[in-house]
Amino acid sequence: MKIYDISQEVFSCEVYPGDPAPLKKSICSIVEGNPCNLTEFSMCAHNGTHIDAPYHFLNDGKKIDEIDLSKCTGFAFVTKHDGIVTANDAKTILQNASLHNPEAAKRILIGGNAVISLDAAKVFADAKIDLIGNESQTVGPEDSPMEVHRLLLGAEVVLLEGIRLADVSCGVYLLSAAPLSLGGSDGSPCRAVLIEL
């Protein structure tokens, strides 16, 4: 069984412009005479590889501890794309995923420098997929992400942002990307992994 870690290392991760970067501090150290090593850290819920909850852009949306974890765990389809994902691209991605495995078509992971257009977001939302993931720190255009986020999160599509798929071939995998149970939060970091079938 091969496992692909598709997460960023937290303290060296990419940070969305304007978000605070993760910080760590050693508060106990064995070499300094303490009985153990102990680390304190702080970070934004959207640093590195993370999941957006609907509450991120919808004030009455579900918080991260309220989303259905089955959306973050199960068969997923990995594809590659560079540039803007159009509505036609989205339809092709979903068709290819369904041909490989209809269950995997519910969780789409896009490798490459891909940005989801609003029209593509409508296709994914109408298909009632559970999750969409991409390598950027935001699923929509970085300069105007709100419309795409509101549409997908309003359809309760889980957004898995900041994944790393350079070493993963296209195809079907088992995805595990559960968020931390951060009560009332708009998002959460996660350790996303793919298991080769």
Side-chain angles (χ1 to χ4, degrees):
M1 176 174 65
K2 185 168 174 93
I3 297 176
Y4 296 90
D5 184 352
I6 60 169
S7 307
Q8 297 180 58
E9 190 281 319
V10 170
F11 297 112
S12 62
C13 73
E14 271 192 59
V15 176
Y16 185 81
D19 286 356
L23 298 171
K24 70 174 174 178
K25 174 183 168 186
S26 175
I27 55 176
C28 283
S29 170
I30 293 172
V31 298
E32 293 178 2
N34 298 115
C36 66
N37 294 310
L38 192 60
T39 303
E40 176 184 315
F41 68 93
S42 66
M43 66 184 295
C44 173
H46 301 269
N47 288 155
T49 305
H50 66 279
I51 285 178
D52 287 359
Y55 182 62
H56 185 35
F57 276 87
L58 304 166
N59 205 44
D60 59 349
K62 287 183 179 178
K63 317 284 196 306
I64 200 70
D65 54 315
E66 298 170 331
I67 66 170
D68 181 355
L69 292 181
S70 70
K71 292 186 175 213
C72 311
T73 307
F75 292 112
F77 183 71
V78 173
T79 188
K80 307 283 179 161
H81 188 90
D82 282 313
I84 296 171
V85 178
T86 66
N88 283 337
D89 294 328
K91 289 173 187 172
T92 299
I93 289 168
L94 290 173
Q95 285 173 345
N96 288 340
S98 292
L99 287 172
H100 280 82
N101 182 314
E103 188 64 25
K106 294 180 181 178
R107 296 172 197 86
I108 303 295
L109 305 179
I110 304 174
N113 187 23
V115 175
I116 308 296
S117 68
L118 186 59
D119 288 339
K122 287 176 184 171
V123 170
F124 289 128
D126 289 345
K128 300 187 183 332
I129 67 170
D130 287 337
L131 177 146
I132 189 156
N134 69 327
E135 297 202 64
S136 171
Q137 290 306 112
T138 179
V139 74
E142 193 172 287
D143 59 348
S144 58
M146 187 171 73
E147 281 188 309
V148 170
H149 275 80
R150 288 179 66 87
L151 194 154
L152 289 169
L153 293 171
E156 295 201 2
V157 177
V158 171
L159 306 183
L160 174 59
E161 298 171 327
I163 56 177
R164 293 294 176 257
L165 295 170
D167 298 328
V168 181
S169 299
C170 295
V172 177
Y173 298 84
L174 187 61
L175 170 70
S176 174
L180 300 177
S181 186
L182 302 176
S185 179
D186 51 276
S188 168
C190 69
R191 184 75 177 266
V193 299
L194 290 173
I195 301 170
E196 195 169 67
L197 301 172

